[in-house]
Amino acid sequence: MKQNIELLVNKIIREAKISSSPINAERLAESYFGLDFDCGKLNETELAGLKVTEKKIYINESRADELAANIGLKNFTIAHELGHWALHRDLTGEHTPQIEREADKFATYLLMPENFVRAEFAKFNEHRLLEWLPTDMKVSSLADTFRVSYTAMKIRLSQWELNLIYVDFKSGKCYLSKEEFLEITTGQIRLF
Ligand SMILES: [Zn+2]
């Protein structure tokens, strides 16, 4: 399924003629998917929700300020709802953890397409000064460029064999493993 979601997202990116970062999920929702936005009362644990029959993404009114103050969180939240629209709009019933994971994957691929991120990452090595940036600053810089959270970018980078990320001798920062890099202590980490 993972591969299929990424292929689907890449097709959407091509069809929507997106050629540079950052990818604005809100704009894409309106221009490509034909979805509208509204505010409403939702469960406190939810930031937003999709109402398929109305073709609307509802932002939880009690958490709207939180989203407005955090562009990375907002972009990912909307992209997650776009994932539900693209993948699950014909499903009925409860949203299972698997469905939520699929929507998170959709959002990850949509906001941080592999070729876009790799191209930006390569820029660090093209500039002598940037090459010496500590790894954490590279992650921060990419997160800003793509308008996603630091953690979301870290997870995305960890999906590829970018050795610089794990072991950065030049800055003195050395990550011994992917787990240490991601700061995983127990169980699963959250995307934001
Ligand atoms: Zn969801």
Side-chain angles (χ1 to χ4, degrees):
M1 192 65 184
K2 177 194 167 194
Q3 199 54 32
N4 291 345
I5 294 175
E6 192 163 16
L7 287 176
L8 172 68
V9 169
N10 287 339
K11 181 168 164 274
I12 290 167
I13 289 170
R14 280 197 305 278
E15 285 176 359
K17 297 189 167 49
I18 294 169
S19 58
S20 62
S21 55
I23 287 146
N24 183 325
E26 190 172 4
R27 200 179 304 146
L28 198 64
E30 291 168 337
S31 65
Y32 181 84
F33 293 96
L35 298 173
D36 283 330
F37 288 88
D38 213 337
C39 262
K41 261 197 199 329
L42 300 176
N43 190 313
E44 191 52 42
T45 59
E46 292 176 280
L47 290 160
L50 171 72
K51 190 120 191 193
V52 173
T53 50
E54 295 179 18
K55 291 192 80 179
K56 260 185 193 171
I57 291 171
Y58 279 91
I59 303 293
N60 190 348
E61 61 188 17
S62 69
R63 301 186 68 180
D65 290 347
E66 195 184 327
L67 283 181
N70 186 335
I71 184 73
L73 181 61
K74 183 182 176 193
N75 215 13
F76 199 92
T77 299
I78 294 171
H80 173 101
E81 297 307 327
L82 293 181
H84 284 314
W85 174 261
L87 302 167
H88 312 128
R89 64 177 181 270
D90 296 328
L91 295 182
T92 50
E94 282 296 296
H95 276 192
T96 63
Q98 152 123 22
I99 278 175
E100 294 312 315
R101 275 198 300 276
E102 287 176 5
D104 278 346
K105 281 180 182 168
F106 183 96
T108 299
Y109 298 139
L110 182 69
L111 300 181
M112 297 166 280
E114 179 164 357
N115 51 349
F116 288 31
V117 178
R118 281 187 186 274
E120 282 300 318
F121 190 85
K123 287 182 188 170
F124 292 129
N125 298 332
E126 287 164 14
H127 299 91
R128 273 188 71 82
L129 281 172
L130 293 177
E131 198 187 355
W132 292 75
L133 271 185
T135 301
D136 284 354
M137 286 177 73
K138 288 181 182 172
V139 179
S140 279
S141 163
L142 289 172
D144 286 348
T145 302
F146 286 84
R147 306 247 169 90
V148 295
S149 71
Y150 179 85
T151 306
M153 181 54 74
K154 238 180 170 184
I155 291 170
R156 188 62 170 135
L157 291 171
S158 76
Q159 292 168 348
W160 307 311
E161 293 305 317
L162 298 169
N163 289 331
L164 256 181
I165 291 294
Y166 304 128
V167 185
D168 191 347
F169 295 108
K170 286 174 185 165
S171 69
K173 184 85 181 164
C174 182
Y175 303 97
L176 296 178
S177 65
K178 185 190 268 191
E179 287 70 26
E180 191 189 338
F181 170 65
L182 289 171
E183 293 157 31
I184 296 174
T185 47
T186 50
Q188 230 191 335
I189 47 169
R190 284 193 52 79
L191 279 170
F192 43 79

Coordinates of all heavy atoms in Angstrom, one line a residue, residues 80-81 84 95 100 103, ligand 1:
H80 N -3.4 15.7 5.7 CA -3.9 14.4 6.2 C -5.4 14.2 5.8 O -5.8 13.2 5.4 CB -3.7 14.5 7.7 CG -4.4 13.3 8.5 ND1 -3.6 12.2 9.0 CD2 -5.7 13.1 8.8 CE1 -4.5 11.4 9.6 NE2 -5.7 11.9 9.5
E81 N -6.1 15.3 5.9 CA -7.5 15.3 5.5 C -7.7 15.0 4.0 O -8.6 14.3 3.6 CB -8.3 16.5 5.9 CG -8.4 16.8 7.4 CD -8.9 15.6 8.2 OE1 -9.8 14.9 7.7 OE2 -8.4 15.4 9.4
H84 N -7.5 11.4 3.5 CA -8.8 10.7 3.7 C -9.7 10.9 2.5 O -10.4 10.0 2.0 CB -9.5 11.3 4.9 CG -8.9 10.8 6.2 ND1 -8.6 9.5 6.4 CD2 -8.6 11.5 7.4 CE1 -8.1 9.3 7.7 NE2 -8.1 10.5 8.2
H95 N -13.0 5.1 11.7 CA -11.6 5.3 11.1 C -10.7 4.4 12.0 O -10.5 4.7 13.2 CB -11.2 6.7 11.2 CG -11.7 7.5 9.9 ND1 -11.2 8.7 9.6 CD2 -12.5 7.1 9.0 CE1 -11.8 9.1 8.5 NE2 -12.6 8.1 8.1
E100 N -5.7 5.9 9.6 CA -5.1 7.1 10.0 C -3.6 7.1 9.6 O -3.1 8.1 9.2 CB -5.1 7.3 11.6 CG -6.6 7.5 12.1 CD -7.3 8.6 11.3 OE1 -6.7 9.7 11.1 OE2 -8.4 8.4 11.0
A103 N -3.4 8.0 5.9 CA -3.6 9.5 5.7 C -2.3 10.2 6.1 O -2.0 11.2 5.4 CB -4.8 10.0 6.5
Ligands
ZN1 ZN -7.6 11.2 10.1

